[in-house]
Amino acid sequence: MAWTCHLLARLRDRAGDRSAAAAAYREAAALGVGAAWRDLALLAESDGDSMAAEEAAAQAARTGDPEAWTALAEAREEIGDDAGAAHAAAEAARAGDLDAWIMLARARENAGDRSGAELAANLAAERGATDAWSALARMRERARDREGSRRAVLRAADLGASDAWTALGRVREQLGDIAAAERAYVRGCEAGDTEGYTALGALYLGQGRTPEACAAYRSAVDAGLPDAWEGLLATMPAQAPRATSAQMVARLRTTGLPAQG
């Protein structure tokens, strides 16, 4: 009965009968369907009733569903309501949704609250989510805040996010700052992120720096990354035709790499 009522609410929602949908969501929630509170929160938010949306999200959290606040934060973020998104993400985080701390850091950064963003990133890190600092680094890089980006990526690396430098390097490469991307990839390799070697290999290969690309791909292969074999083949002077490259990869995996001169 409860799930039938919830299904009916969604059907009414899709049909555009929003008042009937809201009533059905409330009935489903009263019958114990926790997800109905989340749907009701999003319905109210789309109708412009932020207070009703937050009341529904709070009720969902009380029934053990903190992700209603997270969904509300995402909905607000999509329409550019940075302050509202930050508030909803903070509530989700307080209700126990770990990923919401990362969202809160991003929302506060978008809202221009740098200290609030860093506080949220620290709280995320305390709970084991170091990705918040890495995400801040990439956001600041896109905003051309190089010093802020550097501070955030260093914090991420200190907390054990070994892939933070490589992720930052990819953003720099997308922005066309190849020299800075190379430096970030090198730092990623130094931090123990083996993906940094493949990123370096591709960067070098694209610049025609074949010996350096070969060395980077060799390091990636030695680290056990199977996807690096194709890149390595592309750097070899006597490269096999594409039709037989798969056979060469299989042979090299079996026999090993030729010695470096």
Side-chain angles (χ1 to χ4, degrees):
M1 173 62 180
W3 287 105
T4 301
C5 188
H6 190 214
L7 177 59
L8 177 62
R10 287 187 168 175
L11 290 173
R12 287 175 174 173
D13 194 354
R14 290 172 190 163
D17 190 351
R18 304 177 77 79
S19 60
Y25 280 136
R26 288 192 184 91
E27 186 177 351
L31 291 170
V33 181
W37 287 115
R38 188 188 319 175
D39 290 330
L40 184 59
L42 293 175
L43 179 65
E45 183 71 15
S46 67
D47 281 340
D49 191 345
S50 295
M51 184 176 294
E54 292 188 0
E55 287 173 357
Q59 185 60 43
R62 284 192 286 273
T63 61
D65 179 19
E67 292 182 4
W69 278 114
T70 304
L72 188 56
E74 290 172 344
R76 290 175 173 177
E77 195 172 36
E78 284 178 7
I79 62 172
D81 180 6
D82 294 327
H87 172 70
E91 292 297 330
R94 278 193 282 271
D97 185 358
L98 177 59
D99 289 340
W101 288 110
I102 299 174
M103 182 185 296
L104 178 58
R106 187 173 64 242
R108 285 182 171 167
E109 182 77 8
N110 282 334
D113 181 5
R114 294 173 62 86
S115 61
E118 294 191 357
L119 175 60
N122 273 331
L123 290 170
E126 287 173 8
R127 290 158 176 77
T130 57
D131 288 349
W133 277 105
S134 184
L136 280 184
R138 297 192 297 276
M139 287 181 66
R140 290 174 178 176
E141 190 71 27
R142 291 188 183 99
R144 306 291 182 174
D145 177 10
R146 178 59 58 81
E147 181 54 37
S149 171
R150 182 176 180 278
R151 187 169 62 250
V153 75
L154 285 171
R155 178 72 172 138
D158 286 344
L159 290 167
S162 62
D163 62 343
W165 278 107
T166 302
L168 180 60
R170 295 191 192 284
V171 172
R172 290 178 173 178
E173 191 171 355
Q174 289 165 4
L175 294 173
D177 193 342
I178 303 302
E182 180 181 348
R183 292 195 298 272
Y185 292 148
V186 169
R187 291 293 294 270
C189 295
E190 292 171 348
D193 180 20
T194 53
E195 290 290 345
Y197 290 115
T198 58
L200 263 182
L203 186 73
Y204 290 148
L205 197 59
Q207 294 181 305
R209 297 160 64 181
T210 306
E212 290 164 287
C214 182
Y217 279 125
R218 277 178 176 269
S219 294
V221 168
D222 289 343
L225 295 181
D227 292 345
W229 282 99
E230 268 191 48
L232 181 59
L233 278 175
T235 69
M236 291 183 173
Q239 180 184 191
R242 182 174 295 273
T244 60
S245 63
Q247 294 176 341
M248 178 172 278
V249 167
R251 180 170 61 79
L252 287 175
R253 284 177 174 167
T254 302
T255 61
L257 293 169
Q260 288 180 287

